[in-house]
Amino acid sequence: MNIHEYQAKQLFAQYGVAAPKGCAARSAAEFDTALATFPEGVIVVKSQIHAGGRGKGTFTNGYQGGVKVAKGKAEARAIAEAMLGNTLVTKQTGPAGRKVQTIYFDTASSIEKEYYLAILLDRATSRPVIVASTEGGMSIEEVAAKTPEKIIKVRVDPAIGLQDYQKRQVAFALGFNGDLLKQFGRLITGLYNLFWEKDCSIVEINPLATTTEGQLIALDAKVGFDDNALFRHPEVAALRDLNEEDPKEIAAHKFDLSYIALDGDIACLVNGAGLAMSTMDIIKHFGGEPANFLDVGGSASREAVTEAFKIILSDPNVRGILVNIFGGIMDCDVIAQGIVAAVRDVGLKLPLVVRLEGNNVANGKKTLAAAAAELPTLISGDSMADAAQKIVERVRLAA
Ligand code: GDP
Ligand code: MN
Protein backbone atom coordinates (compact mmCIF):
# COMPACT_ATOMS: atom_id res chain seq x y z
CA MET A 1 0.00 0.00 0.00
CA ASN A 2 1.22 3.47 -0.90
CA ILE A 3 0.38 6.81 0.67
CA HIS A 4 0.60 10.43 -0.43
CA GLU A 5 3.63 12.66 0.06
CA TYR A 6 1.80 14.82 2.63
CA GLN A 7 0.95 11.72 4.70
CA ALA A 8 4.50 10.44 4.41
CA LYS A 9 5.77 13.79 5.69
CA GLN A 10 3.45 13.51 8.71
CA LEU A 11 5.13 10.18 9.49
CA PHE A 12 8.52 11.81 8.94
CA ALA A 13 7.60 14.42 11.56
CA GLN A 14 6.73 11.66 14.06
CA TYR A 15 10.11 10.03 13.48
CA GLY A 16 12.26 13.17 13.53
CA VAL A 17 13.03 13.14 9.81
CA ALA A 18 13.40 16.82 8.92
CA ALA A 19 11.07 18.11 6.18
CA PRO A 20 9.61 21.54 5.34
CA LYS A 21 6.41 22.47 7.15
CA GLY A 22 3.40 22.08 4.87
CA CYS A 23 -0.37 21.85 4.77
CA ALA A 24 -2.74 19.82 2.58
CA ALA A 25 -6.06 20.94 1.07
CA ARG A 26 -8.75 18.87 -0.63
CA SER A 27 -10.97 21.61 -2.04
CA ALA A 28 -10.73 25.22 -3.17
CA ALA A 29 -12.56 26.17 0.03
CA GLU A 30 -9.67 24.69 2.02
CA PHE A 31 -6.97 26.58 0.11
CA ASP A 32 -7.31 29.78 2.17
CA THR A 33 -7.25 28.00 5.54
CA ALA A 34 -4.20 26.02 4.41
CA LEU A 35 -2.41 29.11 3.07
CA ALA A 36 -3.19 31.03 6.27
CA THR A 37 -0.71 28.75 8.07
CA PHE A 38 2.15 30.16 5.91
CA PRO A 39 3.99 33.46 6.25
CA GLU A 40 3.91 35.66 3.12
CA GLY A 41 6.63 34.53 0.69
CA VAL A 42 7.57 31.72 -1.63
CA ILE A 43 5.38 28.58 -1.40
CA VAL A 44 5.74 25.25 -3.26
CA VAL A 45 2.47 23.85 -4.64
CA LYS A 46 2.46 20.07 -5.06
CA SER A 47 -0.12 17.79 -6.69
CA GLN A 48 -0.75 14.74 -4.53
CA ILE A 49 -0.96 11.52 -6.56
CA HIS A 50 0.56 8.11 -5.95
CA ALA A 51 3.19 8.53 -8.66
CA GLY A 52 6.52 10.24 -9.03
CA GLY A 53 7.82 12.48 -11.80
CA ARG A 54 5.19 15.11 -10.94
CA GLY A 55 7.62 18.00 -11.35
CA LYS A 56 8.10 17.19 -15.04
CA GLY A 57 4.49 16.02 -15.55
CA THR A 58 1.82 17.62 -17.78
CA PHE A 59 -1.92 17.91 -17.16
CA THR A 60 -4.25 16.53 -19.82
CA ASN A 61 -5.56 20.09 -20.34
CA GLY A 62 -2.05 21.24 -21.28
CA TYR A 63 -1.09 22.85 -17.95
CA GLN A 64 2.62 22.18 -17.29
CA GLY A 65 4.08 20.86 -14.04
CA GLY A 66 2.57 19.03 -11.06
CA VAL A 67 5.04 20.71 -8.66
CA LYS A 68 5.42 24.49 -8.92
CA VAL A 69 7.03 27.27 -6.95
CA ALA A 70 4.76 30.28 -6.30
CA LYS A 71 6.03 33.75 -5.35
CA GLY A 72 3.25 34.34 -2.87
CA LYS A 73 -0.12 33.15 -1.56
CA ALA A 74 -2.20 34.60 -4.42
CA GLU A 75 -0.09 32.81 -7.00
CA ALA A 76 -0.09 29.62 -4.89
CA ARG A 77 -3.88 29.71 -4.82
CA ALA A 78 -4.09 30.21 -8.60
CA ILE A 79 -1.70 27.30 -9.25
CA ALA A 80 -3.61 25.06 -6.84
CA GLU A 81 -6.88 25.91 -8.63
CA ALA A 82 -5.30 25.01 -11.97
CA MET A 83 -4.17 21.62 -10.60
CA LEU A 84 -7.10 20.47 -8.44
CA GLY A 85 -9.56 18.17 -10.19
CA ASN A 86 -7.38 17.86 -13.28
CA THR A 87 -5.52 14.82 -14.55
CA LEU A 88 -1.75 14.75 -14.29
CA VAL A 89 0.32 12.52 -16.58
CA THR A 90 3.86 11.63 -15.50
CA LYS A 91 6.41 9.00 -16.51
CA GLN A 92 4.99 6.78 -13.76
CA THR A 93 1.22 7.21 -14.25
CA GLY A 94 0.89 5.77 -17.74
CA PRO A 95 -0.96 7.74 -20.46
CA ALA A 96 -4.28 7.78 -18.56
CA GLY A 97 -2.73 9.87 -15.76
CA ARG A 98 -4.18 10.43 -12.29
CA LYS A 99 -6.76 12.92 -11.14
CA VAL A 100 -5.38 15.33 -8.55
CA GLN A 101 -7.72 15.39 -5.55
CA THR A 102 -5.41 16.86 -2.94
CA ILE A 103 -2.97 19.77 -3.06
CA TYR A 104 -0.03 20.10 -0.69
CA PHE A 105 1.35 23.54 0.07
CA ASP A 106 4.94 23.31 1.25
CA THR A 107 7.36 25.83 2.72
CA ALA A 108 9.88 26.67 -0.01
CA SER A 109 13.56 25.95 0.57
CA SER A 110 16.62 27.46 -1.07
CA ILE A 111 18.25 24.31 -2.38
CA GLU A 112 22.04 24.04 -2.42
CA LYS A 113 22.34 20.45 -3.59
CA GLU A 114 19.96 17.51 -4.12
CA TYR A 115 20.67 13.92 -3.00
CA TYR A 116 18.88 10.58 -3.17
CA LEU A 117 18.22 8.45 -0.07
CA ALA A 118 16.04 5.37 0.34
CA ILE A 119 15.63 2.28 2.48
CA LEU A 120 14.01 -0.76 0.95
CA LEU A 121 13.95 -4.49 1.36
CA ASP A 122 16.74 -6.36 -0.42
CA ARG A 123 15.03 -9.66 -1.18
CA ALA A 124 18.28 -11.36 -2.21
CA THR A 125 19.82 -10.95 1.26
CA SER A 126 16.51 -10.61 3.19
CA ARG A 127 17.79 -7.38 4.72
CA PRO A 128 16.91 -3.71 4.67
CA VAL A 129 19.25 -1.91 2.29
CA ILE A 130 20.08 1.79 2.36
CA VAL A 131 20.47 3.19 -1.14
CA ALA A 132 22.04 6.64 -1.48
CA SER A 133 23.44 8.87 -4.18
CA THR A 134 24.87 12.35 -4.66
CA GLU A 135 22.78 12.45 -7.85
CA GLY A 136 19.37 13.36 -6.41
CA GLY A 137 16.30 15.02 -7.84
CA MET A 138 16.36 12.96 -11.02
CA SER A 139 15.22 9.42 -11.73
CA ILE A 140 17.34 6.97 -9.76
CA GLU A 141 16.78 4.35 -12.50
CA GLU A 142 18.60 6.69 -14.89
CA VAL A 143 21.48 7.16 -12.44
CA ALA A 144 21.68 3.38 -12.01
CA ALA A 145 21.82 2.85 -15.77
CA LYS A 146 24.30 5.60 -16.65
CA THR A 147 26.52 6.01 -13.58
CA PRO A 148 26.03 2.98 -11.32
CA GLU A 149 29.22 3.88 -9.39
CA LYS A 150 27.36 6.91 -8.03
CA ILE A 151 24.93 4.72 -6.10
CA ILE A 152 25.99 3.29 -2.77
CA LYS A 153 24.25 0.47 -0.94
CA VAL A 154 24.59 -0.47 2.71
CA ARG A 155 22.79 -3.56 3.98
CA VAL A 156 21.56 -3.63 7.58
CA ASP A 157 21.42 -6.75 9.74
CA PRO A 158 17.85 -6.57 11.06
CA ALA A 159 18.78 -8.44 14.24
CA ILE A 160 21.16 -5.71 15.42
CA GLY A 161 19.68 -2.76 13.55
CA LEU A 162 21.33 0.22 11.92
CA GLN A 163 24.83 0.79 13.37
CA ASP A 164 26.56 4.17 13.82
CA TYR A 165 29.44 3.15 11.55
CA GLN A 166 26.92 2.44 8.79
CA LYS A 167 25.35 5.88 9.22
CA ARG A 168 28.84 7.42 8.88
CA GLN A 169 29.60 5.21 5.88
CA VAL A 170 26.57 6.61 4.01
CA ALA A 171 27.14 10.18 5.25
CA PHE A 172 30.78 10.21 4.10
CA ALA A 173 29.86 8.72 0.72
CA LEU A 174 27.46 11.66 0.28
CA GLY A 175 30.19 14.10 1.40
CA PHE A 176 28.60 15.25 4.67
CA ASN A 177 30.71 16.41 7.61
CA GLY A 178 30.48 18.84 10.52
CA ASP A 179 26.92 19.80 11.37
CA LEU A 180 25.49 18.11 8.24
CA LEU A 181 26.97 14.83 9.47
CA LYS A 182 25.03 15.25 12.74
CA GLN A 183 21.84 16.17 10.92
CA PHE A 184 22.25 13.19 8.61
CA GLY A 185 22.73 10.87 11.61
CA ARG A 186 19.41 12.02 13.08
CA LEU A 187 17.63 11.82 9.74
CA ILE A 188 18.77 8.31 8.78
CA THR A 189 18.05 7.02 12.30
CA GLY A 190 14.47 8.31 12.10
CA LEU A 191 14.06 6.98 8.58
CA TYR A 192 15.29 3.52 9.56
CA ASN A 193 13.02 3.43 12.65
CA LEU A 194 10.04 4.39 10.47
CA PHE A 195 10.93 1.73 7.91
CA TRP A 196 11.28 -0.93 10.57
CA GLU A 197 8.48 -0.11 13.00
CA LYS A 198 5.78 0.48 10.39
CA ASP A 199 6.69 -2.55 8.23
CA CYS A 200 7.49 -0.44 5.20
CA SER A 201 8.52 -1.90 1.89
CA ILE A 202 10.12 1.40 0.89
CA VAL A 203 10.91 4.82 2.31
CA GLU A 204 12.38 7.15 -0.29
CA ILE A 205 13.52 10.77 -0.22
CA ASN A 206 14.19 12.21 -3.67
CA PRO A 207 15.40 14.82 -3.37
CA LEU A 208 17.01 15.03 0.03
CA ALA A 209 18.41 18.55 -0.04
CA THR A 210 20.95 20.72 1.67
CA THR A 211 19.82 24.34 1.87
CA THR A 212 21.87 27.54 1.69
CA GLU A 213 21.11 27.93 5.44
CA GLY A 214 22.92 24.66 6.14
CA GLN A 215 19.85 22.50 6.77
CA LEU A 216 19.40 18.93 5.58
CA ILE A 217 15.73 18.29 4.68
CA ALA A 218 13.46 15.89 2.83
CA LEU A 219 11.83 17.80 -0.03
CA ASP A 220 9.90 14.81 -1.32
CA ALA A 221 8.68 11.70 0.52
CA LYS A 222 7.52 8.33 -0.74
CA VAL A 223 6.49 5.59 1.68
CA GLY A 224 5.09 2.15 0.80
CA PHE A 225 3.92 -0.55 3.20
CA ASP A 226 3.87 -4.33 3.19
CA ASP A 227 0.18 -5.21 2.77
CA ASN A 228 0.65 -8.43 4.73
CA ALA A 229 1.63 -6.44 7.83
CA LEU A 230 -1.14 -3.83 7.63
CA PHE A 231 -3.27 -5.72 10.14
CA ARG A 232 -0.90 -4.66 12.90
CA HIS A 233 -0.92 -0.98 11.90
CA PRO A 234 -4.55 0.21 11.82
CA GLU A 235 -3.30 3.83 11.88
CA VAL A 236 -1.42 3.14 8.64
CA ALA A 237 -4.34 1.28 7.03
CA ALA A 238 -6.45 4.39 7.75
CA LEU A 239 -4.20 6.38 5.38
CA ARG A 240 -5.37 4.31 2.39
CA ASP A 241 -6.69 6.45 -0.48
CA LEU A 242 -9.03 4.30 -2.57
CA ASN A 243 -9.08 6.97 -5.29
CA GLU A 244 -5.54 5.92 -6.13
CA GLU A 245 -6.24 2.22 -6.48
CA ASP A 246 -7.57 0.09 -9.33
CA PRO A 247 -11.31 -0.41 -8.58
CA LYS A 248 -10.94 -4.02 -9.75
CA GLU A 249 -8.26 -4.66 -7.14
CA ILE A 250 -10.40 -3.01 -4.41
CA ALA A 251 -13.38 -5.24 -5.27
CA ALA A 252 -11.11 -8.31 -5.30
CA HIS A 253 -9.76 -7.39 -1.88
CA LYS A 254 -13.31 -7.26 -0.47
CA PHE A 255 -13.92 -10.87 -1.49
CA ASP A 256 -10.45 -12.12 -0.48
CA LEU A 257 -9.50 -12.72 -4.10
CA SER A 258 -5.89 -12.15 -5.17
CA TYR A 259 -6.26 -10.15 -8.37
CA ILE A 260 -3.60 -8.24 -10.26
CA ALA A 261 -4.44 -6.52 -13.54
CA LEU A 262 -2.02 -7.14 -16.42
CA ASP A 263 -1.77 -5.86 -19.99
CA GLY A 264 -2.91 -8.86 -22.05
CA ASP A 265 -6.34 -9.94 -23.38
CA ILE A 266 -6.85 -13.44 -21.95
CA ALA A 267 -8.37 -13.33 -18.48
CA CYS A 268 -7.72 -16.26 -16.18
CA LEU A 269 -9.56 -17.52 -13.13
CA VAL A 270 -7.59 -20.09 -11.19
CA ASN A 271 -7.46 -21.61 -7.72
CA GLY A 272 -4.04 -21.46 -6.11
CA ALA A 273 -1.24 -18.95 -6.68
CA GLY A 274 1.17 -21.49 -8.16
CA LEU A 275 -1.42 -22.81 -10.59
CA ALA A 276 -2.35 -19.23 -11.48
CA MET A 277 1.28 -18.48 -12.34
CA SER A 278 1.70 -21.62 -14.41
CA THR A 279 -1.58 -20.82 -16.17
CA MET A 280 -0.19 -17.41 -17.15
CA ASP A 281 3.02 -19.11 -18.30
CA ILE A 282 1.21 -21.62 -20.45
CA ILE A 283 -0.96 -18.91 -22.04
CA LYS A 284 2.26 -17.12 -22.99
CA HIS A 285 3.81 -20.39 -24.13
CA PHE A 286 1.06 -20.78 -26.73
CA GLY A 287 1.44 -17.19 -27.88
CA GLY A 288 -1.23 -15.44 -25.80
CA GLU A 289 -1.01 -12.64 -23.23
CA PRO A 290 -2.69 -12.95 -19.80
CA ALA A 291 -4.97 -10.05 -18.82
CA ASN A 292 -4.66 -10.72 -15.12
CA PHE A 293 -3.47 -12.87 -12.29
CA LEU A 294 -6.44 -14.18 -10.32
CA ASP A 295 -6.33 -16.68 -7.52
CA VAL A 296 -9.77 -17.40 -6.04
CA GLY A 297 -8.16 -19.37 -3.23
CA GLY A 298 -8.94 -22.78 -1.83
CA SER A 299 -12.32 -22.06 -0.29
CA ALA A 300 -14.06 -19.47 -2.45
CA SER A 301 -17.84 -19.22 -2.19
CA ARG A 302 -20.18 -19.10 -5.18
CA GLU A 303 -20.58 -15.34 -4.54
CA ALA A 304 -16.80 -14.84 -4.60
CA VAL A 305 -16.50 -16.73 -7.89
CA THR A 306 -19.34 -14.65 -9.38
CA GLU A 307 -17.56 -11.48 -8.21
CA ALA A 308 -14.29 -12.76 -9.68
CA PHE A 309 -16.00 -13.14 -13.05
CA LYS A 310 -17.41 -9.65 -12.88
CA ILE A 311 -14.01 -8.23 -12.02
CA ILE A 312 -12.23 -9.86 -14.93
CA LEU A 313 -15.03 -8.84 -17.30
CA SER A 314 -14.87 -5.21 -16.22
CA ASP A 315 -11.45 -5.04 -17.90
CA PRO A 316 -12.19 -3.71 -21.41
CA ASN A 317 -9.08 -5.43 -22.83
CA VAL A 318 -10.37 -8.93 -22.12
CA ARG A 319 -11.13 -10.96 -25.30
CA GLY A 320 -11.41 -14.43 -23.78
CA ILE A 321 -11.45 -16.28 -20.46
CA LEU A 322 -9.62 -19.34 -19.27
CA VAL A 323 -10.88 -21.02 -16.10
CA ASN A 324 -8.37 -23.51 -14.74
CA ILE A 325 -9.42 -25.29 -11.57
CA PHE A 326 -7.70 -28.12 -9.83
CA GLY A 327 -10.14 -29.01 -7.09
CA GLY A 328 -8.31 -30.16 -4.00
CA ILE A 329 -10.15 -28.31 -1.27
CA MET A 330 -12.05 -26.28 -3.85
CA ASP A 331 -15.26 -27.89 -4.98
CA CYS A 332 -15.48 -27.88 -8.81
CA ASP A 333 -19.26 -27.57 -8.64
CA VAL A 334 -18.99 -24.31 -6.66
CA ILE A 335 -16.85 -22.92 -9.48
CA ALA A 336 -19.31 -24.19 -12.08
CA GLN A 337 -22.24 -22.54 -10.24
CA GLY A 338 -20.26 -19.33 -9.98
CA ILE A 339 -19.57 -19.38 -13.71
CA VAL A 340 -23.24 -19.93 -14.55
CA ALA A 341 -24.41 -17.22 -12.12
CA ALA A 342 -21.90 -14.72 -13.47
CA VAL A 343 -22.64 -15.48 -17.11
CA ARG A 344 -26.37 -15.06 -16.38
CA ASP A 345 -25.64 -11.67 -14.77
CA VAL A 346 -23.40 -10.26 -17.47
CA GLY A 347 -24.59 -12.07 -20.61
CA LEU A 348 -21.16 -13.33 -21.61
CA LYS A 349 -20.35 -13.16 -25.32
CA LEU A 350 -16.62 -13.86 -25.09
CA PRO A 351 -15.03 -17.27 -25.64
CA LEU A 352 -14.73 -19.17 -22.38
CA VAL A 353 -12.59 -22.26 -21.93
CA VAL A 354 -13.09 -24.22 -18.73
CA ARG A 355 -10.80 -26.91 -17.45
CA LEU A 356 -12.06 -28.58 -14.28
CA GLU A 357 -10.27 -31.39 -12.51
CA GLY A 358 -10.55 -32.97 -9.06
CA ASN A 359 -12.99 -32.64 -6.18
CA ASN A 360 -16.65 -33.05 -7.28
CA VAL A 361 -15.74 -32.56 -10.95
CA ALA A 362 -18.60 -34.74 -12.20
CA ASN A 363 -21.24 -32.49 -10.60
CA GLY A 364 -19.36 -29.43 -11.84
CA LYS A 365 -19.56 -30.67 -15.40
CA LYS A 366 -23.27 -31.50 -14.90
CA THR A 367 -23.97 -27.94 -13.72
CA LEU A 368 -22.24 -26.54 -16.81
CA ALA A 369 -24.03 -28.97 -19.13
CA ALA A 370 -27.42 -28.11 -17.59
CA ALA A 371 -26.80 -24.43 -18.31
CA ALA A 372 -25.47 -25.07 -21.83
CA ALA A 373 -28.12 -22.85 -23.41
CA GLU A 374 -26.81 -19.91 -21.42
CA LEU A 375 -23.21 -20.74 -22.17
CA PRO A 376 -23.02 -20.73 -25.97
CA THR A 377 -19.36 -19.75 -25.96
CA LEU A 378 -18.28 -22.42 -23.47
CA ILE A 379 -15.58 -24.84 -24.59
CA SER A 380 -14.25 -27.47 -22.30
CA GLY A 381 -10.52 -28.03 -22.02
CA ASP A 382 -9.16 -31.50 -21.28
CA SER A 383 -5.71 -30.70 -19.98
CA MET A 384 -3.98 -27.45 -19.10
CA ALA A 385 -2.14 -27.38 -22.42
CA ASP A 386 -5.31 -28.20 -24.35
CA ALA A 387 -7.27 -25.49 -22.53
CA ALA A 388 -4.56 -22.86 -23.05
CA GLN A 389 -4.22 -23.68 -26.75
CA LYS A 390 -7.99 -23.50 -27.22
CA ILE A 391 -8.39 -20.07 -25.61
CA VAL A 392 -5.38 -18.59 -27.44
CA GLU A 393 -6.80 -19.92 -30.72
CA ARG A 394 -10.34 -18.59 -30.09
CA VAL A 395 -9.10 -15.16 -29.14
CA ARG A 396 -6.90 -15.07 -32.25
CA LEU A 397 -9.82 -16.12 -34.46
CA ALA A 398 -12.10 -13.50 -32.94
CA ALA A 399 -9.53 -10.76 -33.54
P1 GDP B 1 8.43 14.48 -8.10
O1 GDP B 1 8.75 15.18 -9.41
O2 GDP B 1 7.09 13.81 -8.16
O3 GDP B 1 9.50 13.57 -7.65
O4 GDP B 1 8.23 15.65 -7.01
P2 GDP B 1 9.30 16.36 -6.04
O5 GDP B 1 8.65 16.57 -4.74
O6 GDP B 1 10.59 15.62 -6.02
O7 GDP B 1 9.50 17.77 -6.70
C1 GDP B 1 10.12 17.95 -7.97
C2 GDP B 1 11.23 18.97 -7.90
O8 GDP B 1 10.74 20.19 -7.44
C3 GDP B 1 12.34 18.59 -6.92
O9 GDP B 1 13.32 17.76 -7.50
C4 GDP B 1 12.92 19.95 -6.57
O10 GDP B 1 13.96 20.31 -7.47
C5 GDP B 1 11.75 20.89 -6.74
N1 GDP B 1 11.29 21.31 -5.42
C6 GDP B 1 10.55 20.59 -4.55
N2 GDP B 1 10.39 21.28 -3.40
C7 GDP B 1 11.07 22.44 -3.55
C8 GDP B 1 11.30 23.59 -2.72
O11 GDP B 1 10.88 23.65 -1.57
N3 GDP B 1 12.04 24.60 -3.25
C9 GDP B 1 12.52 24.56 -4.51
N4 GDP B 1 13.22 25.59 -4.97
N5 GDP B 1 12.33 23.51 -5.31
C10 GDP B 1 11.62 22.46 -4.86
MN1 MN C 1 10.79 13.44 -6.13
Side-chain angles (χ1 to χ4, degrees), residues 44 46 52-55 67 107-109 111 114 206-207 219-220:
V44 185
K46 312 186 80 171
R54 295 164 299 165
V67 174
T107 305
S109 317
I111 304 171
E114 298 187 339
N206 189 24
L219 288 193
D220 194 3

Side-chain angles (χ1 to χ4, degrees), residues 1 51 128 149 210 238 256 265 267 280 291 342:
M1 185 190 108
E149 72 282 0
T210 48
D256 265 332
D265 53 9
M280 298 192 313

Side-chain angles (χ1 to χ4, degrees), residues 28-55:
E30 285 177 22
F31 290 164
D32 287 329
T33 2
L35 287 167
T37 64
F38 288 83
E40 196 49 65
V42 185
I43 294 169
V44 185
V45 187
K46 312 186 80 171
S47 303
Q48 299 295 290
I49 55 170
H50 285 189
R54 295 164 299 165

Side-chain angles (χ1 to χ4, degrees), residues 3-10 22-26 44-52 54 59 65-68 80 83-86 88 90 93 98-106 219-222 241 243-244:
I3 57 173
H4 288 293
E5 172 195 8
Y6 79 93
Q7 297 168 317
K9 283 183 172 169
Q10 282 163 3
C23 192
R26 269 160 219 84
V44 185
V45 187
K46 312 186 80 171
S47 303
Q48 299 295 290
I49 55 170
H50 285 189
R54 295 164 299 165
F59 286 86
V67 174
K68 297 196 114 171
M83 292 175 174
L84 191 72
N86 289 313
L88 178 60
T90 81
T93 59
R98 291 277 175 79
K99 189 169 169 190
V100 176
Q101 297 182 327
T102 305
I103 301 290
Y104 190 54
F105 297 104
D106 212 0
L219 288 193
D220 194 3
K222 174 177 168 177
D241 182 354
N243 289 320
E244 292 287 332

Side-chain angles (χ1 to χ4, degrees), residues 8 72 166 218 271:
Q166 293 176 311
N271 67 323

